[in-house]
Amino acid sequence: MTDTPPNDAAEEARDISEVPAVELINTVAVHLLSAAAVKVGLADDPETQTDLDEGRKLITALAGLVTAAATEIGDQHARPLRDGLRSVQLAFREASAIPDAPGAGPGEKFTGPVT
């Protein structure tokens, strides 16, 4: 009895040329949003997972992506990403011992001040 050889990885992987840009942008944004949420303390174990320096970087990258891509992906895709972005920006503000000035928080150079 012989084992059936596994499918070639190229056959199993979805050809990147077939993936719509909107899907790629949303996937990357959701990964950034999820990672940012963990780093600002919105996860199961905030005592060990919170890292505001890392959170700031992730939020800024997410803000840049969402802002730049909004017109390309359309409002129906951009609106939930903006809402998630705003949530992690506010969570960052709440978690930070030293508050940033209005407009100086993570991603605010792209989104404007978040209150």
Side-chain angles (χ1 to χ4, degrees):
M1 183 169 166
T2 61
D3 291 336
T4 305
N7 288 339
D8 183 39
E11 291 175 18
E12 292 179 7
R14 189 170 174 191
D15 187 357
I16 198 73
S17 68
E18 296 175 9
V19 181
V22 170
E23 187 176 329
L24 288 170
I25 292 166
N26 279 333
T27 299
V28 170
V30 168
H31 283 289
L32 288 169
L33 179 59
S34 298
V38 169
K39 296 297 184 180
V40 299
L42 299 177
D44 295 334
D45 190 10
E47 293 80 28
T48 62
Q49 297 172 327
T50 300
D51 183 337
L52 295 181
D53 183 51
E54 290 290 302
R56 179 182 294 276
K57 293 171 189 171
L58 292 163
I59 292 168
T60 300
L62 175 61
L65 175 62
V66 171
T67 302
T71 57
E72 301 298 326
I73 64 176
D75 191 56
Q76 73 274 16
H77 296 287
R79 181 175 291 139
L81 295 175
R82 282 190 200 109
D83 291 345
L85 171 59
R86 184 173 187 279
S87 294
V88 293
Q89 285 175 310
L90 290 172
F92 181 94
R93 276 200 181 277
E94 290 177 18
S96 183
I98 302 170
D100 292 314
E108 291 183 351
K109 69 180 176 183
F110 300 111
T111 64
V114 176
T115 57

